[in-house]
Amino acid sequence: MKWSALPVAVLMAGSVAMAQDQSSSGSQQPATAPAATPAATPAPAAKPKPTIAQRKENQQDRIAQGVKSGQLTAGETANLETKEAAINGETKADRAANGGKLTAAEKKQINGQQNQVSKQIYKDKHNANTANYGNSKVGKRQENQQDRIAQGIKSGQLTAGETAKLENQQKGINQQVAADRKANGGTLTASEKKKVNKEQNAASKNIYHKKHNAKTQPQAQPKP
């Protein structure tokens, strides 16, 4: 009886020890960490609205591109320049009346006017009227002058008043070119080309002078 009870006691003791080991091992296992919640993607920042100066520069660039591509005729270019000159003249007057600044209402009005010009540029560039002389010498000079005026606006070297005067000067040349071409079946005579080139030389000097005088546009971004 004594010796037969011994194996049973040993077996029971072993079972108790195994149960304690399993309980201890289970308590030492780390708890499963909850899945991390992905961070919310930040909303993209709103694109800032272009300034008055940036809109003027953009319009000049679009006109220059239209001259280069032949989408804008000399007459259409002159008409667009007239409208841009009027807006720049108004901007100059508004700034003079407000110590060099524009009120919120004035900015809104100018942007509305530029929206109308922007639509006109698009319409003129996509109508049936085209100029096959965009890459001619006269056409290239027109484009170059537009680019120089646009760069002067961007750098702040040209004020609104100076820009208006330069645009009026280009308008006059473009109107003359349009009239000459109309009278000659779409071409220019040698003497007409010489005259236009001389007028553009004078305009070129005027652009340079206005970009290098003491007058600057206070609210324009400086040239890097």
Side-chain angles (χ1 to χ4, degrees), residues 45-55 104 107-108 111 115 221:
K47 188 176 180 180
K49 294 182 179 179
T51 64
I52 297 297
Q54 287 171 338
R55 291 214 68 182
K107 290 180 181 179
K108 184 177 180 180
N111 272 317
N115 288 341
Q221 293 292 331

Side-chain angles (χ1 to χ4, degrees), residues 144-182:
N144 181 58
Q145 304 291 50
Q146 296 291 341
D147 286 337
R148 292 175 64 200
I149 293 172
Q151 188 277 329
I153 294 170
K154 182 178 182 180
S155 67
Q157 293 171 289
L158 291 177
T159 66
E162 290 174 329
T163 303
K165 290 179 181 178
L166 292 174
E167 287 171 338
N168 275 322
Q169 189 173 22
Q170 286 300 305
K171 177 195 73 174
I173 296 174
N174 288 324
Q175 286 177 332
Q176 176 187 320
V177 171
D180 290 341
R181 289 190 185 280
K182 185 177 181 179

Side-chain angles (χ1 to χ4, degrees), residues 24-31:
S24 175
S25 174
S27 63
Q28 292 177 357
Q29 290 180 352

